[in-house]
Amino acid sequence: DGGITQSPKYLFRKEGQNVTLSCEQNLNHDAMYWYRQDPGQGLRLIYYSQIVNDFQKGDIAEGYSVSREKKESFPLTVTSAQKNPTAFYLCASKGGQRDYGYTFGSGTRLTVV
Amino acid sequence: AQKVTQAQTEISVVEKEDVTLDCVYETRDTTYYLFWYKQPPSGELVFLIRRNSFDEQNEISGRYSWNFQKSTSSFNFTITASQVVDSAVYFCALTGFINTGTASKLTFGTGTRLQVTL
């Protein structure tokens, strides 16, 4: 079945370490997104990519980095510069310009101790 | 800039009661899409509905109904005869059409937590 796979579901890291969250889709979607969710704040956009080898900052990009080397993959790295990285991270994808069907992964809960 | 406001942070109802979740939006786009998603405790987002700005017809799907009013920039969601399984966080979201290219960004409200008890 087509969909988005985020791994791992739970991730624990020590403060000061970089960590990479995986997001893979087999929907042949062009656009991919990373959102962060904190309690009471809804989902906020970190980075998005419209096409391979291209990505743009969202509303809260500081302390994060991404790459889009393959259409299927959009990994997110949470760097040590991110001051409060503990959160729930959701990856999403969308088809072409006229396709407004967004597909979301099941999320990764990152805890930094 | 786009903005979605869900003023109700948390709602508690008793099973079988009707409940309405409010959503008010702001956008300068003339063409846009509105969404509702359900987030159960497991965390994934479950798509409920998508509505484009040219279609103001209300929609009903089983116990769910949506009231889209452009005049008040609102897209409210009503659950009739609520059930315990409806307990979740519900998000309203908005995306523009013009000047956003293929990667139209979804802007989310802060969500409304619905608790349905027996």
Side-chain angles (χ1 to χ4, degrees):
Chain A
D1 287 341
I4 293 184
T5 301
Q6 287 189 246
S7 60
K9 192 170 181 64
Y10 298 95
L11 190 55
F12 295 88
R13 279 295 181 270
K14 290 184 179 180
E15 195 171 344
Q17 288 183 338
N18 290 357
V19 59
T20 297
L21 281 59
S22 170
C23 177
E24 303 278 334
Q25 55 102 355
N26 60 3
L27 300 162
N28 199 34
H29 281 175
D30 292 315
M32 297 187 74
Y33 312 78
W34 274 105
Y35 286 89
R36 168 181 173 140
Q37 184 178 12
D38 296 283
Q41 294 196 46
L43 282 74
R44 294 180 291 167
L45 183 64
I46 305 172
Y47 267 99
Y48 65 102
S49 168
Q50 300 188 63
I51 198 169
V52 174
N53 294 322
D54 178 71
F55 48 83
Q56 286 82 40
K57 293 182 179 179
D59 302 318
I60 55 166
E62 185 176 350
Y64 298 97
S65 66
V66 294
S67 63
R68 186 84 187 276
E69 297 176 2
K70 299 186 300 182
K71 189 175 187 178
E72 304 79 25
S73 179
F74 192 41
L76 173 74
T77 297
V78 185
T79 74
S80 56
Q82 168 51 232
K83 295 179 181 178
N84 186 17
T86 295
F88 186 59
Y89 292 87
L90 277 163
C91 179
S93 70
K94 185 178 87 67
Q97 187 168 11
R98 296 183 180 181
D99 179 357
Y100 285 86
Y102 295 83
T103 301
F104 284 84
S106 56
T108 292
R109 191 166 299 278
L110 173 64
T111 302
V112 175
V113 296
Chain B
Q2 299 178 343
K3 185 178 180 181
V4 176
T5 302
Q6 294 181 257
Q8 304 152 308
T9 304
E10 194 161 343
I11 300 175
S12 292
V13 298
V14 176
E15 201 176 41
K16 296 183 185 177
E17 285 185 8
D18 298 346
V19 58
T20 295
L21 282 59
D22 298 332
C23 173
V24 175
Y25 63 92
E26 297 174 29
T27 181
R28 285 181 288 184
D29 286 327
T30 54
T31 304
Y32 51 89
Y33 283 82
L34 293 159
F35 302 75
W36 274 96
Y37 289 91
K38 174 182 180 180
Q39 186 179 46
S42 54
E44 77 276 16
L45 285 183
V46 178
F47 169 79
L48 296 178
I49 190 172
R50 176 177 69 235
R51 172 70 62 193
N52 75 54
S53 53
F54 293 114
D55 183 1
E56 289 192 68
Q57 268 194 321
N58 292 331
E59 182 158 338
I60 298 174
S61 176
R63 296 184 297 107
Y64 295 170
S65 63
W66 291 268
N67 183 354
F68 177 29
Q69 293 199 347
K70 247 175 148 174
S71 60
T72 56
S73 298
S74 65
F75 187 44
N76 297 336
F77 172 33
T78 297
I79 301 174
T80 303
S82 59
Q83 299 177 1
V84 172
V85 294
D86 295 327
S87 297
V89 179
Y90 291 86
F91 289 99
C92 182
L94 164 72
T95 187
F97 181 77
I98 298 174
N99 298 326
T100 55
T102 57
S104 300
K105 297 172 285 182
L106 271 175
T107 299
F108 285 85
T110 51
T112 297
R113 181 178 298 278
L114 175 64
Q115 184 72 39
V116 182
T117 56
L118 293 171

